[in-house]
Amino acid sequence: MEIKSIGILTSGGDAPGMNAAIRAVTRTAIYAGMRVWGIYRGYQGLIEDQIVEFQTQNVSNIIQQGGTILKTARSMEFKTPEGRKKAYENLKRHDIDALVVIGGDGSITGAANLAREYDVPIVALPGTIDNDLAGTDMTIGYDTAMNTIMDCVDKIRDTATSHQRLFFIEVMGRDAGFLALNGAIATGCEDAIIPEVATQYDQLKALVDNGFRKSKSSAMVIVTESPEGGALKLAERVKKEYPEYDVRVSVLGHLQRGGSPTAADRILASRLGFAAIEALKEGQRNVMMGIHNDHVVNIPFAKAIKKDKPIDEELLTVLRVLSI
Ligand code: F6P
């Protein structure tokens, strides 16, 4: 089937570089002679028919902007068959032949559900700061978030050193430790506490036994957020079990999601956005575009969201050796 018209949406948590991806998809599609429809507020906007035709000017001057000009949402309605039916009907109403979805794990799961129930070709782009999609070395937004974390932690180090304090710094990542682990390496932290090794042993005990008893003037640990309490809970434990330490906590929160994308994220978003349209032209569907060894690759939805992107254990060793 020849694709004459595409819809594009961003969904789930925003990530720096999403705008660069919207621009790349829009311009490549127009260059290929397709019509482009911008769908606002993710799947929720698709259900509510918030759909506007895009020209090349709609994406002028956005490559450097954080956030997403298309807005985003976490749609509960799209998780229901009724919601997806309304979404499909709106695609038909505008004669949209194919969809490009930019988002993370939940967004690609939604795309897979829609593709299973209706005959819509969908290509996804990995847009999340968490870097937790399998098959791609990097997701769009991860590098910018990492650099933001680096800036923040460098600043916290100044005050941590002055006061000789133990800092727990909480970063995002949901159930993936990429931001925490590589953030800790980039800032010379003493350790990272990450979900991937949470069940293997008591990370806090190991940390105190191995590290803090040494005569360091201050110590900094990056912790992945957790529904069980993250950095605040660890700090409470340390205060109780090791009262000799002067402990402070910093939760970086949503500032990790904002800001102008780095060069790496802009280039990644541009390459993957271009490749998404090329893939649709070649008849591909139900794949996420990714980058592996600096080559653009296609990853089937089912593999991308399988949650089997392992942390390289060697990174933990690098972190610990370098912080002796
Ligand atoms: O998936 C991106 C992310 O920033 C996660 O790291 C975090 O757990 C979540 O989104 C926060 O979501 P919200 O902005 O909806 O609170």
Side-chain angles (χ1 to χ4, degrees), residues 13-14 74 128-130 172-174 179 225 254 257:
D14 61 351
R74 298 192 192 277
T128 168
I129 64 165
D130 300 339
M172 284 185 167
R174 208 183 288 271
L179 288 170
E225 63 181 348
H254 284 81
R257 288 236 298 261

